[in-house]
Amino acid sequence: MTEPSVIFVDDDPHIRQAIAQTLTLEELPVSCFEDAPSALGHINADYDGVVLCDYNMPEMNGLEMLDRLRAIDNTIPVIILTGQGDISTAVTAMQQGAYDFIEKPFDHDELIELLRHALEKRHLALENRRLKAQLRHLARPGPRMLGDSPLMQKVMATIDPILDISANILLHGETGSGKDALARYIHENSGRSAHNFVAINCGAVPENLIESELFGHEAGAFTGAEKRRIGKIEHAHKGTLFLDEVESMPMPLQVKLLRVLEEQRVERLGSNKVQEVDVRIIAATKADLKKLSDDGEFRPDLYYRLNVVKVDIPPLRERKEDIPLLFHHFVLIAAARYDRESIPLDAGQAARLMQHSWPGNVRELRNLAERYVLLGPAALDENEPADTANVAGRQTLAEMMDGFERSAIISALNASHGSIKDTMVQLGIARKTLYDKMRKHGLDKAQFKD
């Protein structure tokens, strides 16, 4: 059901019917109620519309309803309908925070203009609130996970309840899908954030050096070990150790890591002294670690130690709704880094990005955003996906048009942070048309609000 722009309360059914018809013709979605308590049950602090109510009502009059609404959110505009003898009461209502009042019988054009101005004020108040929340969010240290697609919401729903629990986590996802960013997010939003986040790529360190990297060594432990060195595990004490490409860890080292996980103790190479450690392990892999363990290529006992909580990170091609938001984010970062202007995507450009299969995932998108900042829109032409023609060839014209329409609406909603009014302006369509198309494509404005 379309969310109403106006909630109208009046105990006279004829007036309710007349107002409903008037507002519907003006493409202002309206919900009508015969009493204040019924209407209040449909209003919360996120309601982005206006309340229009009669002053003389049973159970709760207009002033009492105004008080209740201001307790919910004092920026919700309340317009009161008054009879000729209620002007002094209406003035009192204005003093108590009502947006305005209008006297019966009223001019319909005057009412519509008043409602539209009140809606603009409400949208501005919500936008200011959103920006303040965004500023608080951006002021927090550490990385942030971006994306409102259902798949990313599922990822965050898995992660959030365990942020402050020291359970080991196994991240599984394709190269470039954001495993490192998610690991850092988990650390920075956990109780371990005051301590070290230590990362090591198990596939990038030579096999003869990785043991020393992880466990450290004493001076003279082997040729070239001239002084004591603290290993990654010990350095991550009370913090988080991130093991990227854990499937590449040599089998003998897996045995030693398993002992650390079981005993929470580490012994440097060349030392007989055991160091107590308190470390949370976040391991990441692009491989099927369960299959590797079944095939004897990865220790099953270590697999189960690491796989206390498993998080599957979706590839970018499966969460294309997030592409405009991610691209915009990377463009802002690149523009600040290179001291360049950030040029927002138009709907057509966003649709082209969403046609691509993104084999390099988020990393590929970030690189394109940097080229876009440096080279301008021409960078998007260089990135024209080879698979687009093939994809298009398997679609009917109606399917291609639907895909473009959905992409354009998503891009506009992302750019306006879910503001229906701004999206209407950007796309040049009426409110009812926009709501109908959003319903058709399964879109909810709440997905695009910060």
Side-chain angles (χ1 to χ4, degrees), residues 210-259:
I210 190 169
E211 183 175 4
S212 173
E213 283 290 314
L214 279 173
F215 293 89
H217 60 256
E218 297 289 343
F222 51 84
T223 302
E226 298 178 357
K227 58 182 180 180
R228 173 188 291 177
R229 186 176 188 279
I230 301 298
K232 301 289 189 184
I233 297 174
E234 195 174 343
H235 188 51
H237 178 55
K238 293 188 177 181
T240 304
L241 176 66
F242 176 53
L243 301 174
D244 199 5
E245 296 190 29
V246 70
E247 73 275 8
S248 303
M249 183 177 290
M251 193 68 75
L253 197 58
Q254 293 179 29
V255 178
K256 293 189 174 183
L257 178 61
L258 179 63
R259 177 175 293 181

Side-chain angles (χ1 to χ4, degrees), residues 33-256:
F33 298 90
E34 64 180 352
D35 57 67
S38 299
L40 288 168
H42 292 76
I43 300 172
N44 58 34
D46 294 323
Y47 173 59
D48 67 352
V50 177
V51 174
L52 175 66
C53 68
D54 190 22
Y55 171 69
N56 288 307
M57 296 185 294
E59 292 192 57
M60 185 185 299
N61 64 32
L63 281 182
E64 291 169 330
M65 185 174 186
L66 172 63
D67 288 340
R68 291 284 296 276
L69 286 168
R70 287 184 60 78
I72 294 172
D73 182 351
N74 61 11
T75 66
I76 296 175
V78 181
I79 300 172
I80 296 180
L81 290 175
T82 68
Q84 291 183 348
D86 297 326
I87 297 300
S88 61
T89 304
V91 172
T92 301
M94 295 283 290
Q95 294 172 343
Q96 294 181 5
Y99 178 77
D100 210 334
F101 68 92
I102 189 165
E103 187 179 355
K104 299 176 184 177
F106 50 84
D107 179 85
H108 283 188
D109 290 338
E110 180 185 352
L111 175 63
I112 296 301
E113 183 179 4
L114 185 58
L115 287 172
R116 292 198 187 281
H117 286 163
L119 280 169
E120 288 180 6
K121 180 180 180 182
R122 177 59 176 163
H123 293 155
L124 180 60
L126 289 176
E127 179 69 3
N128 287 338
R129 181 183 301 168
R130 183 196 64 78
L131 289 173
K132 288 178 181 178
Q134 187 179 49
L135 287 173
R136 288 195 298 269
H137 179 66
L138 293 175
R140 293 169 59 187
R144 288 161 295 279
M145 296 306 297
L146 298 177
D148 294 320
S149 63
L151 286 175
M152 281 307 294
Q153 289 177 4
K154 182 178 178 181
V155 168
M156 300 314 295
T158 303
I159 288 298
D160 286 342
I162 59 169
L163 288 174
D164 287 321
I165 302 173
S166 294
N168 296 328
I169 298 174
L170 179 62
L171 305 180
H172 176 258
E174 296 178 4
T175 299
S177 59
K179 297 186 291 294
D180 177 85
L182 184 55
R184 291 179 183 274
Y185 172 88
I186 293 169
H187 172 77
E188 293 293 347
N189 289 276
S190 73
R192 295 175 174 267
S193 60
H195 301 281
N196 293 329
F197 175 85
V198 181
I200 181 169
N201 188 316
C202 301
V205 181
E207 186 172 338
N208 62 330
L209 295 179
I210 190 169
E211 183 175 4
S212 173
E213 283 290 314
L214 279 173
F215 293 89
H217 60 256
E218 297 289 343
F222 51 84
T223 302
E226 298 178 357
K227 58 182 180 180
R228 173 188 291 177
R229 186 176 188 279
I230 301 298
K232 301 289 189 184
I233 297 174
E234 195 174 343
H235 188 51
H237 178 55
K238 293 188 177 181
T240 304
L241 176 66
F242 176 53
L243 301 174
D244 199 5
E245 296 190 29
V246 70
E247 73 275 8
S248 303
M249 183 177 290
M251 193 68 75
L253 197 58
Q254 293 179 29
V255 178
K256 293 189 174 183

